[in-house]
Amino acid sequence: MRKIRDSRYPSETKSANENSTLTDRLGRGMHDLRISVTDVCSFRCSYCMPDDLYGGGNPFLSQESLLRFDEIEAVARVAVLLGVRKFKITGGEPLLRPELHKLIRLLKSIPKVKDIGIITNGFHLIPQLKYLRDSGLTRITVSLDSLQPEVFERITGRSEALPAVLEGIRAAQSAGFSPLKVNMVIQRGLNSGEVLEMAAYFRGSGIVLRFIEYMDVGYRHRFNRGLLVPNAEIRDIIQSQWPLEQVVPGYYGEVAARYRYIDGSGEIGFISSMTQPFCRDCTRLRLSADGKLYRCLFSSLALDMKTLLRDSDGSTNINNAGIEASMRRFWGLRDDRYSELRSTGADGDADKQIITQKEPDEKKIEMYRMGG
């Protein structure tokens, strides 16, 4: 299968240092900041927040414990100084954070930022699309794991939500968000039989469908390896129906392996953290809704930024010099490559003096707390 270069990214190279003034122990620059704005979600997806564990009475973060928008902006500005050029706003469900467009506007005002995206379950999109577009949001990614109402309900716990999600996707495309992306997490025996149906639904639409391998993120959702379907298997199923050709990555650190249909009907992608780890090219830093910085989705080790953003009485008093010094050291010590080491059980040897372990009894932080 031949590879072709995507001409939409002519200025990007594969240098880890091109857009970064800082590298970690493996030479990886800091290029992407994922910003979680809430840990609350309107869905109860089985691989993230299963309803039996996160139903009524679950202790979600209080409003006061969430980072304020000006505090998030302060961290984001320092991150850009250190090399970040892309922001992705996550949750929980980020559209449940009131007046989110105001944060997007603040982030858009930061010089050198190339891209501001959001990942959402799509249920709350339509009422907010105009505000999101006007505030400067660049891209939208919607999580959608099934087109079958009964399967959608089994995965998300929401029997009535599927039509609203599909309508939200169409509305976002009509509002001019392009390329619009849809993420599908595949679980064997649950939605794995919908691969061709999902591909057919989005072929020719201009929407990029991406298949994500079911992952061992977090601790409480009871990961079951038997549900994992390697993306190579998914790709072969689609290839047998519609021939594909691979697209050369558009930029350093792109996590999705991209393919396009030879007949010109669009593009699909594969994010394969389980079977084809991309740790060596990972340029992501994650900011949780309560102000913790994480260097890896699969980690429970965090740097608490709130002490540099607030006084002891809870009032905002941003220490920019402290933020920069802490972030430089935190990233400089980074040697995280969990997915590569998964099979051996080995751990990184990063200096933990400046790191706080939020919940030492848990092996990894839960995905809804830092964003997916």
Side-chain angles (χ1 to χ4, degrees):
M1 191 179 302
R2 70 185 185 93
K3 294 185 179 181
I4 56 176
R5 183 168 300 278
D6 188 340
S7 60
R8 291 179 299 170
Y9 303 97
S11 63
E12 302 280 7
T13 74
K14 294 189 177 183
S15 168
N17 301 312
E18 180 193 8
N19 291 315
S20 180
T21 59
L22 178 67
T23 58
D24 66 9
R25 288 182 170 181
L26 300 180
R28 298 170 295 189
M30 184 193 299
H31 189 261
D32 309 82
L33 178 64
R34 291 207 154 197
I35 302 169
S36 175
V37 294
T38 182
D39 63 339
V40 176
C41 187
S42 48
F43 288 4
R44 289 295 178 268
C45 295
S46 55
Y47 51 82
C48 181
M49 298 175 66
D51 189 57
D52 61 330
L53 296 177
Y54 299 99
N58 188 74
F60 292 105
L61 295 169
S62 67
Q63 186 67 30
E64 183 55 33
S65 65
L66 298 176
L67 284 191
R68 299 155 192 154
F69 287 169
D70 59 337
E71 295 170 336
I72 294 174
E73 180 195 8
V75 175
R77 285 186 178 275
V78 173
V80 169
L81 177 67
L82 300 179
V84 164
R85 297 295 179 264
K86 298 183 179 182
F87 299 132
K88 176 67 71 66
I89 299 172
T90 71
E93 171 47 51
L95 294 181
L96 292 178
R97 180 74 183 259
E99 299 186 308
L100 182 65
H101 62 280
K102 293 184 178 180
L103 173 62
I104 296 170
R105 195 176 300 277
L106 289 173
L107 298 176
K108 184 69 174 179
S109 71
I110 302 175
K112 298 184 180 180
V113 174
K114 295 181 178 180
D115 186 68
I116 303 174
I118 189 171
I119 184 164
T120 171
N121 62 31
F123 185 70
H124 311 273
L125 258 178
I126 291 178
Q128 300 193 46
L129 275 173
K130 182 180 186 304
Y131 298 103
L132 296 173
R133 168 57 76 189
D134 291 348
S135 64
L137 187 70
T138 310
R139 288 186 298 108
I140 293 177
T141 300
V142 178
S143 298
L144 175 65
D145 296 329
S146 177
L147 294 171
Q148 300 297 325
E150 64 279 6
V151 178
F152 183 89
E153 180 180 4
R154 285 181 62 190
I155 294 174
T156 68
R158 295 293 300 269
S159 60
E160 80 291 358
L162 179 58
V165 173
L166 294 175
E167 186 179 353
I169 292 171
R170 289 190 291 268
Q173 188 177 36
S174 297
F177 288 99
S178 179
L180 187 67
K181 296 178 181 178
V182 169
N183 286 349
M184 181 182 187
V185 176
I186 299 292
Q187 299 179 69
R188 191 178 298 279
L190 183 54
N191 62 347
S192 54
E194 292 186 58
V195 169
L196 288 177
E197 179 183 1
M198 187 73 83
Y201 187 88
F202 289 107
R203 260 175 52 86
S205 69
I207 295 172
V208 179
L209 175 63
R210 304 193 303 179
F211 297 95
I212 300 179
E213 289 181 341
Y214 170 71
M215 294 182 289
D216 56 336
V217 176
Y219 184 62
R220 297 180 66 190
H221 82 286
R222 300 182 295 265
F223 174 74
N224 178 357
R225 184 169 288 274
L227 298 178
L228 170 64
V229 182
N231 266 337
E233 182 177 326
I234 302 300
R235 186 196 63 218
D236 289 347
I237 291 172
I238 297 173
Q239 170 78 14
S240 67
Q241 183 74 22
W242 301 290
L244 302 169
E245 55 187 1
Q246 189 170 5
V247 178
V248 173
Y251 58 89
Y252 178 85
E254 186 172 30
V255 299
R258 296 164 49 215
Y259 290 77
R260 63 177 49 159
Y261 296 105
I262 291 178
D263 66 6
S265 297
E267 182 178 308
I268 58 174
F270 302 91
I271 300 176
S272 312
S273 177
M274 295 295 290
T275 62
Q276 298 176 20
F278 39 80
C279 300
R280 294 289 175 153
D281 296 334
C282 181
T283 61
R284 292 182 176 183
L285 184 67
R286 300 171 184 274
L287 179 66
S288 69
D290 60 346
K292 303 290 194 303
L293 279 177
Y294 295 91
R295 302 177 304 199
C296 179
L297 178 61
F298 298 95
S299 177
S300 61
L301 301 176
L303 174 63
D304 187 354
M305 301 300 292
K306 201 175 290 184
T307 57
L308 302 171
L309 296 165
R310 295 184 186 178
D311 285 335
S312 58
D313 63 359
S315 59
T316 297
N317 184 14
I318 295 168
N319 179 354
N320 286 313
I323 293 172
E324 181 180 348
S326 295
M327 288 178 67
R328 281 187 180 276
R329 186 161 183 243
F330 189 58
W331 188 266
L333 292 169
R334 178 180 185 243
D335 60 2
D336 302 74
R337 51 191 183 98
Y338 173 82
S339 292
E340 287 185 356
L341 300 174
R342 180 187 284 113
S343 60
T344 67
D347 292 319
D349 61 352
D351 183 351
K352 297 180 176 59
Q353 289 182 347
I354 64 166
I355 300 173
T356 60
Q357 190 164 356
K358 186 173 182 180
E359 295 181 0
D361 293 332
E362 294 190 1
K363 296 179 181 179
K364 298 184 291 291
I365 197 70
E366 300 302 320
M367 181 165 59
Y368 76 92
R369 291 189 176 180
M370 71 163 85

